[in-house]
Amino acid sequence: MPLKRMIALLVVLFSLLPSLVMSLFAYRVAAGQAEERVSVQVSQTAQHVNSELNMVINEASRLINYSSSYTISNFLSSSTPEARYENAKALGELFSIIRQTQSSNSYILDMSVIGINGRCFSERNGYFNLERPFESYEDFQTVVSLPRTVHVQGSAQSLRGQPWEDNALTVSAAVFKISTNEVCGLLRVSVSKDFIVDILKNAKPSPGGQTLVMDGSGVDLFPSQGGVRLSSGTVRHILEDGTSGTIKSNQALVVYTELPSTGWTIVSVAPTSEVFSSVYQLRASTVLMVLVSILLIVAVNILLSSYIAHPISQLKSLMRSATSGNLDVEIPEIHGQVEIEEVYRSFAALLRETKNLLARIVEEQKNLKKAELTALQSQINPHFLYNTLDSAVWAAESNKNEEAVDLIASLSDFYRLSLRSGMDVIPFETEVNHVSCYLHIMQMRYQDILSYHVDVAPETLRAHFPKIILQPIVENAIYHGIKNRRYRRGETGHVEVRARKIPENLLEITVSDTGIGMSPEALAALSRKIDEGVLRSGQSYGLINVNMRLRLMFGEGYTLTLRSQEGCGTQVIIRVPLTEEDNGL
């Protein structure tokens, strides 16, 4: 047998087997990657629905904050028909103001105040009395039994027999008498189920899939879709797990996650035939590619000759040098086989494109960092506007005109400083004035339990500093420290903000309170949550957000430090570079 034919035969034999193995391996890897990618897509769908539901529930919960309004308390405490009429009228005006500010949230169907004495006022139904005793309503008793909790209920007990009442979920909280702090009723916000159904319809993970919401007993709260049905075993597994996860079967891919604020579970279901159709196509393409490769190997190797070995070896050496990090390797000109020349030219073009891509990635990372900082700052948004306005109205009605003017002026300064020229980085003096306005407003609202002191060294005032950093920390100190501690008569909680320049040209800011403090275990848990940097609604949301923004602007070494002693208070410390030069953010 001629040597050339023998070489060609050996090359075919030794090329065919590795090609088959590599093709099968490539298929398995590609199939696994496709499955993982589809799982991520379905998980993102569930996360999107989770975010949308949280937005709806949080918006309704924000309206629940009005349960502490004097207008609502006065209505429930009315003892004469004349007083009830006047207070009901005032309550209607309050609902009208709330509705004007919430005009874009059409999913809020109704706001109702329900008294233990049976007297009620509803945005839609006006003034009316319960048809049966308050104690006979199971939903109401659930709220009263845990009066300090906001309750989300998937189905509402009808109060007036209106059709819309059967198509609503409710968010409720207890209302307390101002004088005795006893439960005197509840405030209930009704949310349209149709709005939730539309969210679920628009969040299908695939054309034949569906996304649903189950309560703790496995009941579909918003049934309106077809698609794949969950088996009883799948539902039982989801309820027993109770958190989040993925279930794969021959029929469907199921991704579920718990909605912490309600205890409900969001479930996204996608038929296997749809989500893995690309994998099936990949399998057919792989088989076809293997067959074509076999034919090409046989045809090409018959035409191979030894004189192409040198340029190929040289190209291999160049590739090895490039893969080790030397992207500036020089590609020589090759003359000979057209295919080899094309490979060299393609490799040179690939190296140029790789270098350009790396340069673009560096620039995009810089832009991404700026975008993340801006997005995080937009999430810091004061939540005490309506309570402050209520306090100003109450002061005006009590003929405390100077106090009312002071409150409105401080509130105006607070928002002016918050929105100053749309800048993200401001002089530290402006940040100090901003938090001072906030403390002044809160001290006027809670003067019986709150005092404060701001002590800032003059040499720190011109430092550049990200805005709205101190206010969330002070807010956390007041609401989760000062307000949760019982003080003796004549004693008040105290918040102190201090800023100093320390060695190594650092700005050190300390926010201290004399609130309830934390146990070592609670402090450690809170510190872990802040370090993880996962934004979720709750007590530590503001601190996590501030920590993330400091890390983005100044680097990993510049974050929050917490110290706390149970029963004595908490201290939050910030250390960042002190500079008066613009850092480009």
Side-chain angles (χ1 to χ4, degrees):
M1 180 183 294
L3 180 60
K4 183 176 180 180
R5 184 177 300 177
M6 181 180 295
I7 293 175
L9 180 60
L10 291 174
V11 170
V12 168
L13 291 176
F14 283 103
S15 299
L16 181 59
L17 184 59
S19 297
L20 289 174
V21 174
M22 291 298 295
S23 297
L24 292 175
F25 176 76
Y27 164 73
R28 292 181 63 87
V29 171
Q33 292 176 344
E35 180 178 336
E36 181 180 357
R37 183 171 60 252
V38 171
S39 298
V40 170
Q41 291 173 350
V42 178
S43 297
Q44 290 174 343
T45 299
Q47 292 171 2
H48 171 71
V49 173
N50 191 340
S51 176
E52 291 287 331
L53 286 179
N54 267 320
M55 179 200 71
V56 173
I57 293 171
N58 288 340
E59 183 61 27
S61 298
R62 194 178 68 80
L63 297 180
I64 290 299
N65 290 332
Y66 285 94
S67 62
S68 60
S69 169
Y70 285 97
T71 304
I72 295 176
S73 180
N74 289 340
F75 168 75
L76 295 177
S77 303
S78 301
S79 57
T80 65
E82 294 78 8
R84 282 195 294 274
Y85 172 78
E86 292 299 328
N87 288 325
K89 183 179 178 182
L91 190 55
E93 293 174 353
L94 174 63
F95 284 167
S96 177
I97 292 173
I98 296 172
R99 180 60 71 177
Q100 290 175 7
T101 62
Q102 301 296 324
S103 58
S104 61
N105 297 337
S106 57
Y107 51 80
I108 303 295
L109 296 178
D110 183 56
M111 292 175 282
S112 303
V113 175
I114 304 165
I116 291 179
N117 55 15
R119 300 189 184 98
C120 310
F121 185 88
S122 167
E123 184 183 15
R124 287 197 173 201
N125 297 322
Y127 177 82
F128 62 94
N129 291 314
L130 292 176
E131 297 177 353
R132 61 180 192 269
F134 182 91
E135 295 78 8
S136 64
Y137 290 85
E138 183 178 349
D139 290 356
F140 300 167
Q141 293 306 306
T142 300
V143 176
V144 172
S145 64
L146 294 171
R148 299 294 179 181
T149 302
V150 175
H151 298 263
V152 182
Q153 295 163 325
S155 58
Q157 289 182 284
S158 176
L159 299 180
R160 302 290 288 172
Q162 299 290 341
W164 62 266
E165 292 183 290
D166 297 327
N167 189 38
L169 63 88
T170 61
V171 181
S172 308
V175 177
F176 300 88
K177 289 182 180 179
I178 296 177
S179 59
T180 63
N181 206 30
E182 296 176 339
V183 177
C184 59
L186 56 92
L187 173 61
R188 184 168 79 165
V189 177
S190 299
V191 178
S192 171
K193 285 187 176 181
D194 289 338
F195 184 80
I196 308 298
V197 169
D198 289 340
I199 293 176
L200 299 179
K201 286 181 178 178
N202 294 329
K204 288 185 177 182
S206 67
Q210 64 173 333
T211 300
L212 53 92
V213 180
M214 297 191 312
D215 62 13
S217 59
V219 175
D220 185 356
L221 294 175
F222 310 104
S224 64
Q225 311 170 76
V228 180
R229 305 296 299 175
L230 296 178
S231 66
S232 58
T234 300
V235 173
R236 184 167 57 253
H237 176 85
I238 293 174
L239 296 178
E240 290 175 353
D241 183 33
T243 52
S244 60
T246 301
I247 301 175
K248 302 175 184 177
S249 66
N250 294 331
Q251 290 75 32
L253 175 68
V254 180
V255 177
Y256 59 93
T257 183
E258 186 181 22
L259 190 62
S261 59
T262 61
W264 299 343
T265 302
I266 299 172
V267 184
S268 288
V269 186
T272 303
S273 58
E274 292 180 356
V275 297
F276 295 123
S277 59
S278 60
V279 177
Y280 302 149
Q281 294 174 0
L282 176 63
R283 181 171 58 190
S285 300
T286 301
V287 172
L288 178 62
M289 184 174 63
V290 169
L291 295 177
V292 172
S293 297
I294 292 174
L295 295 177
L296 289 177
I297 289 173
V298 172
V300 170
N301 280 304
I302 293 176
L303 302 175
L304 285 180
S305 60
S306 61
Y307 77 92
I308 66 172
H310 176 68
I312 290 179
S313 298
Q314 186 179 20
L315 179 61
K316 180 181 178 181
S317 176
L318 294 172
M319 287 183 173
R320 183 181 295 111
S321 178
T323 56
S324 65
N326 181 20
L327 298 181
D328 295 322
V329 62
E330 183 177 354
I331 307 299
E333 291 188 6
I334 299 297
H335 302 285
Q337 292 291 331
V338 175
E339 293 83 1
I340 299 299
E341 292 179 8
E342 181 63 26
V343 170
Y344 270 74
R345 286 195 296 269
S346 298
F347 181 60
L350 177 62
L351 288 180
R352 290 194 300 271
E353 183 64 25
T354 300
K355 288 189 289 186
N356 293 335
L357 180 60
L358 288 175
R360 289 199 301 269
I361 289 175
V362 171
E363 184 62 26
E364 288 172 357
Q365 287 298 318
K366 293 180 180 178
N367 294 333
L368 176 61
K369 186 174 182 179
K370 295 179 182 179
E372 288 176 338
L373 177 58
T374 300
L376 285 171
Q377 286 181 332
S378 69
Q379 297 178 35
I380 299 293
N381 200 4
H383 300 292
F384 67 105
L385 172 60
Y386 296 118
N387 288 334
T388 304
L389 292 177
D390 279 345
S391 297
V393 170
W394 178 85
E397 291 176 347
S398 302
N399 294 322
K400 298 179 180 180
N401 295 329
E402 293 184 359
E403 181 178 333
V405 170
D406 193 6
L407 271 171
I408 296 301
S410 296
L411 187 65
S412 174
D413 290 341
F414 178 85
Y415 280 106
R416 176 176 55 80
L417 294 171
S418 296
L419 305 174
R420 181 180 177 183
S421 302
M423 294 186 297
D424 298 324
V425 179
I426 59 176
F428 183 61
E429 182 179 11
T430 303
E431 178 69 1
V432 171
N433 292 336
H434 179 258
V435 76
S436 297
C437 287
Y438 178 81
L439 280 166
H440 181 63
I441 292 170
M442 298 302 289
Q443 197 274 335
M444 294 182 68
R445 288 177 50 200
Y446 299 108
Q447 52 189 292
D448 293 332
I449 65 168
L450 176 63
S451 63
Y452 73 93
H453 178 65
V454 178
D455 182 13
V456 177
E459 64 267 25
T460 66
L461 295 177
R462 292 175 56 83
H464 281 79
F465 197 77
K467 71 178 182 180
I468 317 180
I469 290 291
L470 300 183
Q471 183 270 333
I473 300 175
V474 170
E475 181 180 1
N476 191 78
I478 294 173
Y479 282 99
H480 303 295
I482 301 296
K483 293 187 65 177
N484 287 337
R485 179 175 177 179
R486 294 183 177 273
Y487 295 94
R488 293 188 296 271
R489 183 182 300 274
E491 183 184 6
T492 63
H494 185 73
V495 175
E496 183 176 37
V497 179
R498 293 173 55 88
R500 292 288 183 272
K501 180 179 179 181
I502 62 175
E504 298 182 5
N505 199 35
L506 294 179
L507 170 62
E508 181 183 79
I509 307 165
T510 304
V511 179
S512 306
D513 67 75
T514 60
I516 195 170
M518 288 177 283
S519 65
E521 295 77 13
L523 178 62
L526 178 57
S527 298
R528 283 195 300 272
K529 289 177 65 178
I530 293 174
D531 290 338
E532 290 171 359
V534 179
L535 286 173
R536 302 185 183 91
S537 59
Q539 176 179 342
S540 54
Y541 179 92
L543 296 181
I544 294 174
N545 189 291
V546 167
N547 195 65
M548 291 177 66
R549 292 168 57 209
L550 290 174
R551 182 183 294 145
L552 280 173
M553 180 172 181
F554 298 108
E556 291 293 332
Y558 300 101
T559 55
L560 297 180
T561 300
L562 273 66
R563 299 172 182 171
S564 186
Q565 184 174 354
E566 191 169 13
C568 295
T570 300
Q571 188 178 73
V572 180
I573 301 172
I574 300 174
R575 293 189 182 95
V576 295
L578 193 155
T579 175
E580 297 179 8
E581 298 180 359
D582 197 339
N583 58 10
L585 290 178

